[in-house]
Amino acid sequence: MKKLIALLLVLCTVLPIASCHGTEDSVAFSVPESFDTSREYEISFWAKNDTNIAQVNIYKQAIADFQELYPNITVNLKLYTDYGRIYNDVITNISTDTTPNVCITYPDHIATYLTGKDTVVPLDELFDDAKYGLGGSEVRFESPKESEIVPKFLEECAFNGYYYAVPYMRSTEACYINKTYVEKLGFTLPETLTWDFVWEVSEAAMKKDANGNFAVNGQKTMLPFIYKSTDNMMIQMLRQKGAGYSDIYGSVELFNDTTAEILKTVEEHAATGAFDTFKRSGYPANYLNAGQCIFAIDSTAGATWMGTDAPLVDIPEEKLVEFETVVMSIPQFDPEDPKMISQGPSMCIFNKEDPQEVLASWLFMQFMLTNEVQIAYSQTEGYVPVTEKAQKSDEYLDYLSRAGEDNELYYKIKLDAAKLLLENTDNTFVTPVFNGSASLRNAAGQLIENVNKGVRRKQELDVNALYDEVISLYRLDQIQTSSDKVSFGDLPNGSVALLAALCVCWIGMGIYVVIDKTKRKK
Amino acid sequence: MKKIIAMMLVLVMVAAFAACTDNDETSKTSSVAESSAVESSVAESSVAESSDAESSDASSEAEDNGVMTYEEYIAAELESEVVIEAYVQAHQSWWEDKITVYCQDKDGAYFLYELACSEEDAAKLIPGTKIRVKGFKTEWEGEVEVASGATFEFIEGADTFIADALDVTALLGTDDLIKHQNEFVSFKGMTVAASKDAEGNDVAFLYNWDGSGEQGNDLYFNVSINGATYNFCVESYLCGKDTDVYKAVEALEIGDVIDMEGFLYWYQGANPHITSVTVAE
């Protein structure tokens, strides 16, 4: 009898506890035992390109090659040139349950998609599946193993305990420099670019001649230092200074004293005209190529637009100026400990009722990681492949060794930009991902934009007022930190009653044991 | 006593199983919460770029409220505050509480980039409507405009104005063309010249500047006159794929002689946003 009671007690203890949990399980997809090739599948792929026909053609070729291997899967390509538009369309389509199957995205955006239940498929189980996983036995192409994806890039796709994406391409930011003008101003480029150096040269470039032209270029226009992505600028400066931005729980740390110092510096150099931004003035590449900019900071994935001999040019030919272009990593506060952002497209899969359709999507996504696709796409810009398998392939190493052979495929600036990331992968970082991290990123850039505009509009900088304005604009005070939204919430009434009953049981049993022992002693 | 304990244990077990099957209710609650979170994210995203949107109906005020003439606007320094009144000629599609508007009056034209605007007000921005705009004058890649985040109000009871297209064909390639920046203009008797697609083929138009787009994206096409060739654009947020002009450009053939109307936008030079195309007989 006692054994039976003990057994029942164990059961009673375990079951109620189990009943209190498990309601938040969002893993609805599980890998089918086998892929049903007797069926036809139609999957959609929303892809972003840099308004670059070569990239579009690679997507199309990849789809054609994949469909040859899997004739029962049709992939419909939808093209975007803007991550923001993809994000907005996905959000709209989540509510109507018409999300794409596969989508180019950023982890920040996935964090928002995940606020819908079971929207994005966690990939861990798919990675590991012996038949259809990475390097799986039933995959009809040479897919990379998980260990062959650059660990740093793969880590960027993990959050909330799961992999929700795979990296597709990676880039960082680079500083494209008019070395000719730097030297004309009497400076020599250091081994590692520093913020102090950039500010000093930029201020020197503001000197004008007797005719009112800038002395260094003899033109009426000179914007020595232009930053394309001011959110990256703020984020990287803060990281280099070891200052707060946000933590993994979603706490906003952006509005700190270091940020205020950075904004003061921006104000100082915007006031002289030495610093400007893409949003206020235009593309850094256009000014660089017209001899109107000395330091143009943009993505390594924008390298084909940079320099006198750039294969892509967006200004009239008569405005192009001859100069020597050099690619360097972004300016640093501590040259001994360089830090730069890791960016670039990732891919995620949206969940569907039919697990076979999800599996078809996964096979296609995996195909995008093959050497053929990775190497071809990376060559369209200063991207690098995300697999070590591609990075170490003979074909890719040969490509890297031929920098400068022509001004198209082997355009030196583009290859130098890619090499910059390859050599600095360990120095890259990403910011924590949470629902609201995309807004925080925008807010970081907005601070710089507002200061830059404000100075020119003769508005006095009030950092605290600016902080309040930006917090309100991006609703940063509404971001929920992880600790705010404890997964289990309050216990349901039933569970409370259950636990109370358990207590009563234990008390009852205790009483019984005591009475029993007393009786025996007697 | 043993019986009582056994009974209680049975009760607890039954209750435990009942609690396990109670997940549905919890899931529903959780699902609602998550779905609201998505909506709030959309709201978060929508508000993100919109600044101090305060557009609203306002009665026409005769008082001197700093409204500039077109001449004063042109003379104003870049990054200075401007207040103008003009008539809506067209606008691009509303997005995230912003709208880009082409405005004009009898003296000149204004390009209002990403005006802060609610969706409700966007619906009232019909051609001819007079609005008062307050913002900052700026220049982006050669285009002089009222910067993003400007606010506006409708001028109730005001007259309306629709600009006639000014023929600027003869001004192409001259320094005088920029004087008509942003105006509603026409180009007559120009010949469609070849563009190169991705395979190097001669085509009459491209989706996106290099052909990297697809139907629904901006259209780019070359037109020639007097030995010079110019690149014109159908801006998809102004004239989408279902509009007559979009379809007309898609139907163009190299060598067609066409008349066009549009707004004289600027990007590193004249880059008109074409709103109508007619193939000459």
Side-chain angles (χ1 to χ4, degrees):
Chain A
M1 184 62 192
K2 281 179 188 169
K3 281 181 185 168
L4 183 61
I5 289 175
L7 187 63
L8 282 166
L9 279 172
V10 170
L11 279 172
C12 288
T13 310
V14 171
L15 287 175
I17 289 170
S19 77
C20 294
H21 299 277
T23 57
E24 291 285 327
D25 189 2
S26 63
V27 186
F29 168 77
S30 60
V31 185
E33 193 59 35
S34 61
F35 182 49
D36 186 352
T37 52
S38 67
R39 291 175 50 196
E40 296 287 322
Y41 306 92
E42 195 164 331
I43 63 171
S44 52
F45 174 38
W46 290 7
K48 191 259 180 190
N49 72 91
D50 305 315
T51 319
N52 184 323
I53 188 68
Q55 293 171 351
V56 172
N57 287 340
I58 288 162
Y59 283 135
K60 288 178 178 169
Q61 187 61 51
I63 289 168
D65 292 346
F66 176 75
Q67 289 178 161
E68 207 164 294
L69 293 166
Y70 291 92
N72 60 322
I73 303 176
T74 302
V75 181
N76 296 317
L77 176 67
K78 186 174 179 185
L79 294 168
Y80 288 84
T81 54
D82 182 337
Y83 289 109
R85 292 274 170 179
I86 296 184
Y87 173 74
N88 256 22
D89 281 5
V90 168
I91 292 290
T92 306
N93 282 273
I94 284 175
S95 57
T96 53
D97 201 18
T98 49
T99 51
N101 293 89
V102 181
C103 189
I104 293 279
T105 190
Y106 258 71
D108 275 337
H109 294 171
I110 296 176
T112 305
Y113 304 156
L114 281 172
T115 54
K117 190 169 168 61
D118 295 338
T119 47
V120 183
V121 177
L123 302 173
D124 303 61
E125 201 189 335
L126 282 163
F127 281 5
D128 297 339
D129 189 81
K131 287 202 278 186
Y132 303 106
L134 291 164
S137 60
E138 300 293 315
V139 176
R140 294 179 185 172
F141 49 86
E142 203 178 322
S143 96
K145 298 183 182 73
E146 187 176 342
S147 59
E148 288 173 320
I149 300 176
V150 177
K152 187 118 182 170
F153 299 156
L154 188 58
E155 278 166 28
E156 294 165 11
C157 298
F159 40 93
N160 296 350
Y162 295 98
Y163 288 107
Y164 281 104
V166 292
Y168 175 54
M169 285 289 134
R170 281 297 176 266
S171 59
T172 184
E173 281 192 330
C175 189
Y176 301 90
I177 305 167
N178 181 328
K179 186 184 175 192
T180 308
Y181 284 179
V182 170
E183 292 178 350
K184 192 174 173 184
L185 288 163
F187 295 89
T188 303
L189 283 171
E191 197 174 321
T192 303
L193 206 58
T194 64
W195 289 100
D196 284 344
F197 181 83
V198 170
W199 295 130
E200 190 181 358
V201 176
S202 298
E203 290 297 342
M206 296 310 291
K207 283 180 190 144
K208 290 186 175 178
D209 62 20
N211 298 321
N213 294 322
F214 289 94
V216 69
N217 66 352
Q219 299 188 46
K220 293 287 182 200
T221 303
M222 168 49 76
L223 307 175
F225 180 19
I226 307 180
Y227 217 111
K228 171 81 182 300
S229 171
T230 43
D231 44 9
N232 278 343
M233 180 182 178
M234 177 59 84
I235 289 166
Q236 289 172 118
M237 289 177 97
L238 288 172
R239 178 61 69 103
Q240 289 176 14
K241 287 237 174 201
Y245 170 70
S246 71
D247 66 15
I248 56 167
Y249 306 108
S251 295
V252 173
E253 299 168 352
L254 169 65
F255 304 98
N256 57 54
D257 292 344
T258 308
T259 302
E261 279 173 31
I262 291 167
L263 294 175
K264 286 279 181 196
T265 306
V266 167
E267 182 192 32
E268 182 191 333
H269 298 292
T272 62
F275 172 76
D276 213 334
T277 68
F278 156 75
K279 276 194 179 170
R280 206 201 67 83
S281 60
Y283 288 96
N286 289 348
Y287 287 94
L288 183 78
N289 295 346
Q292 297 170 340
C293 171
I294 298 175
F295 302 103
I297 298 191
D298 203 335
S299 171
T300 54
T304 54
W305 296 89
M306 301 288 179
T308 309
D309 301 316
L312 299 175
V313 175
D314 214 13
I315 61 173
E317 206 176 326
E318 62 273 16
K319 287 180 77 176
L320 268 177
V321 169
E322 281 283 336
F323 62 92
E324 184 183 349
T325 314
V326 170
V327 185
M328 295 183 79
S329 59
I330 59 156
Q332 301 291 325
F333 285 112
D334 179 1
E336 300 303 314
D337 184 21
K339 289 185 172 66
M340 60 202 76
I341 200 128
S342 172
Q343 57 186 12
S346 297
M347 298 178 287
C348 70
I349 298 177
F350 285 92
N351 204 8
K352 302 292 170 190
E353 276 180 21
D354 178 6
Q356 290 286 339
E357 187 181 331
V358 175
L359 184 54
S361 308
W362 161 247
L363 290 169
F364 173 68
M365 192 162 92
Q366 215 181 144
F367 187 75
M368 300 301 283
L369 297 176
T370 56
N371 278 10
E372 291 73 20
V373 180
Q374 284 289 305
I375 294 171
Y377 200 96
S378 70
Q379 291 175 344
T380 63
E381 264 300 352
Y383 283 120
V384 301
V386 297
T387 65
E388 287 174 351
K389 189 183 174 114
Q391 285 185 7
K392 290 175 181 168
S393 68
D394 291 342
E395 183 186 352
Y396 190 67
L397 293 173
D398 174 64
Y399 163 71
L400 289 179
S401 71
R402 300 173 69 177
E405 278 191 17
D406 63 30
N407 286 327
E408 296 293 331
L409 180 62
Y410 302 112
Y411 181 50
K412 185 175 184 306
I413 303 304
K414 178 185 69 168
L415 271 76
D416 286 351
K419 284 177 194 167
L420 189 152
L421 176 54
L422 289 168
E423 288 160 8
N424 281 283
T425 302
D426 289 340
N427 297 324
T428 62
F429 69 93
V430 291
T431 50
V433 171
F434 50 87
N435 183 22
S437 55
S439 291
L440 180 60
R441 161 172 277 279
N442 290 337
Q446 195 70 48
L447 291 173
I448 292 177
E449 296 293 347
N450 281 16
V451 169
N452 186 41
K453 281 188 295 187
V455 167
R456 289 171 163 85
R457 293 172 184 178
K458 299 178 175 55
Q459 296 162 343
E460 204 167 312
L461 173 61
D462 177 342
V463 171
N464 290 327
L466 177 60
Y467 283 178
D468 289 344
E469 182 189 340
V470 169
I471 288 168
S472 164
L473 183 61
Y474 291 96
R475 300 185 181 181
L476 299 183
D477 48 354
Q478 293 177 28
I479 291 177
Q480 283 191 308
T481 58
S482 301
S483 53
D484 290 337
K485 45 178 181 182
V486 177
S487 314
F488 307 122
D490 292 337
L491 280 175
N493 291 338
S495 300
V496 172
L498 207 55
L499 290 171
L502 261 181
C503 289
V504 172
C505 273
W506 280 102
I507 292 166
M509 282 185 292
I511 294 168
Y512 170 78
V513 170
V514 172
I515 293 171
D516 193 43
K517 280 190 176 175
T518 313
K519 277 181 181 173
R520 285 186 187 198
K521 277 182 185 172
K522 283 177 182 173
Chain B
M1 187 63 190
K2 284 177 189 170
K3 282 180 186 170
I4 294 170
I5 289 174
M7 278 290 284
M8 287 181 77
L9 285 170
V10 168
L11 272 172
V12 169
M13 278 191 71
V14 170
F17 283 121
C20 289
T21 59
D22 203 27
N23 282 1
D24 270 356
E25 197 184 324
T26 317
S27 297
K28 276 176 198 161
T29 313
S30 146
S31 172
V32 169
E34 283 161 353
S35 136
S36 320
V38 171
E39 280 174 29
S40 70
S41 299
V42 174
E44 168 186 270
S45 150
S46 313
V47 81
E49 287 295 321
S50 75
S51 55
D52 43 348
E54 281 173 9
S55 59
S56 61
D57 289 337
S59 58
S60 180
E61 293 166 6
E63 77 221 52
D64 178 9
N65 45 18
V67 176
M68 297 170 150
T69 63
Y70 182 73
E71 270 190 353
E72 287 169 336
Y73 171 76
I74 289 297
E77 280 185 17
L78 291 175
E79 301 305 333
S80 66
E81 192 169 37
V82 292
V83 182
I84 57 117
E85 287 181 356
Y87 303 85
V88 174
Q89 303 300 302
H91 63 74
Q92 297 183 7
S93 46
W94 177 89
W95 191 53
E96 290 189 342
D97 283 342
K98 291 174 288 195
I99 195 161
T100 295
V101 184
Y102 305 79
C103 268
Q104 195 163 336
D105 64 18
K106 62 181 176 49
D107 298 318
Y110 309 87
F111 185 71
L112 316 175
Y113 180 65
E114 293 187 346
L115 206 55
C117 179
S118 67
E119 191 168 16
E120 188 188 0
D121 281 341
K124 298 180 200 164
L125 287 170
I126 54 174
T129 306
K130 191 172 189 180
I131 58 173
R132 182 179 302 132
V133 180
K134 187 177 180 183
F136 287 87
K137 181 181 167 182
T138 194
E139 182 180 343
W140 197 84
E141 296 279 10
E143 168 69 24
V144 175
E145 62 195 29
V146 177
S148 175
T151 58
F152 77 99
E153 56 189 330
F154 293 100
I155 302 177
E156 278 193 359
D159 59 342
T160 60
F161 172 78
I162 300 285
D164 291 328
L166 175 74
D167 186 351
V168 293
T169 317
L171 298 180
L172 280 166
T174 72
D175 291 342
D176 285 337
L177 185 64
I178 199 168
K179 292 174 186 166
H180 300 280
Q181 193 180 77
N182 300 324
E183 285 180 25
F184 188 53
V185 295
S186 65
F187 304 92
K188 297 200 169 146
M190 298 187 77
T191 305
V192 177
S195 301
K196 292 280 183 198
D197 71 7
E199 283 76 41
N201 303 315
D202 285 348
V203 292
F205 72 93
L206 296 170
Y207 294 112
N208 282 347
W209 69 276
D210 65 343
S212 61
E214 56 192 2
Q215 192 180 53
N217 294 135
D218 295 348
L219 296 175
Y220 285 82
F221 59 104
N222 290 328
V223 278
S224 301
I225 195 162
N226 300 329
T229 301
Y230 306 90
N231 190 238
F232 286 10
C233 166
V234 175
E235 159 64 60
S236 56
Y237 297 143
L238 173 63
C239 296
K241 65 183 173 65
D242 297 324
T243 59
D244 289 345
V245 65
Y246 201 97
K247 290 173 188 167
V249 171
E250 284 181 308
L252 286 178
E253 290 182 12
I254 297 164
D256 281 349
V257 177
I258 57 176
D259 296 338
M260 294 161 285
E261 290 179 341
F263 297 99
L264 191 53
Y265 183 76
W266 218 260
Y267 176 84
Q268 293 281 342
N271 176 222
H273 290 173
I274 297 301
T275 57
S276 85
V277 168
T278 314
V279 179
E281 292 300 322

